[in-house]
């Protein structure tokens, strides 16, 4: 079962630029598109998935972690040659995310399958379930006296 993650507030200005850029995102060439990420918590692991089609994960992906920040860097190089013409496209992508509190930087696993990079990090201390606190009514206590 997935648990909701607390997101860091970036402020109004970065969010405003994201909204203004959104209609023009489809006009950018594929190499200029940002990496699409999703993240969630499953069991005792924080999972991050990135859409990276058409890359060689052994050569073109670098994953680093430092001070609670996980960074994914990928490069895409594509070249097609025919008898009378050639085409190429290339691009570099970097995206960093803050790991949740309690993430174990020594237990990180990464896999790549069908264009999807999945990185999972063990959470050392699971969040405890909230404790329900009963609320007593003052009028009930006064009637009992």
């Amino acid at each position: 079962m997935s648990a909701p993650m607390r997101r860091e507030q970036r402020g109004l200005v970065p969010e405003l630029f994201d909204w203004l850029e959104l209609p023009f995102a489809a006009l950018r060439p594929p190499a200029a598109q940002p990496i699409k990420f999703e993240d969630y918590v499953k069991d005792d692991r924080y999972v991050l998935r990135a859409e990276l089609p058409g890359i060689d994960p052994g050569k073109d992906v670098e994953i680093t972690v430092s001070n609670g920040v996980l960074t994914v860097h990928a490069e895409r190089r594509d070249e097609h040659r025919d008898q009378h013409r050639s085409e190429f496209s290339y691009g570099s992508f970097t995206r960093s995310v803050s790991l949740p509190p309690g993430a174990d930087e020594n237990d990180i696993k990464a896999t790549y399958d069908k264009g999807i990079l999945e990185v999972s990090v063990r959470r050392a201390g699971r969040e405890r379930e909230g404790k329900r606190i009963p609320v007593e009514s003052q009028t009930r206590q006064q009637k009992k006296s």
Side-chain angles (χ1 to χ4, degrees):
M1 173 107 188
S2 297
M5 294 291 299
R6 191 180 104 220
R7 300 278 184 198
E8 297 291 326
Q9 290 291 349
R10 297 185 320 162
L12 179 62
V13 175
E15 192 169 307
L16 180 62
F17 285 121
D18 289 347
W19 278 73
L20 291 172
E21 189 177 281
L22 193 60
F24 303 105
L27 301 176
R28 281 185 271 170
Q33 299 285 344
I35 300 172
K36 294 180 184 178
F37 270 45
E38 70 176 352
D39 63 339
Y40 54 90
V41 175
K42 183 177 180 182
D43 300 325
D44 65 342
R45 298 191 74 82
Y46 167 73
V47 180
L48 174 77
R49 290 171 35 102
E51 187 179 272
L52 296 171
I55 62 164
D56 179 350
K59 295 180 191 175
D60 301 332
V61 177
E62 180 180 322
I63 302 169
T64 58
V65 64
S66 177
N67 298 321
V69 176
L70 181 78
T71 301
V72 176
H73 176 79
E75 291 187 32
R76 178 180 298 147
R77 287 175 239 104
D78 192 19
E79 190 173 330
H80 298 283
R81 291 179 185 246
D82 290 339
Q83 184 177 5
H84 299 290
R85 74 179 217 181
S86 67
E87 287 186 32
F88 67 92
S89 63
Y90 57 92
S92 175
F93 311 93
T94 300
R95 182 112 180 240
S96 297
V97 294
S98 296
L99 294 174
D104 183 355
E105 292 185 12
N106 296 315
D107 188 355
I108 300 176
K109 298 176 183 172
T111 59
Y112 182 84
D113 185 37
K114 298 178 184 165
I116 304 295
L117 174 71
E118 183 172 295
V119 181
S120 69
V121 183
R122 188 174 73 82
R123 292 176 37 210
R126 293 188 75 175
E127 297 160 9
R128 296 182 184 173
E129 291 288 323
K131 179 181 176 184
R132 184 180 169 111
I133 310 296
V135 178
E136 295 184 20
S137 172
Q138 290 291 359
T139 55
R140 284 186 187 172
Q141 288 182 349
Q142 290 174 356
K143 289 181 183 179
K144 290 180 181 177
S145 306

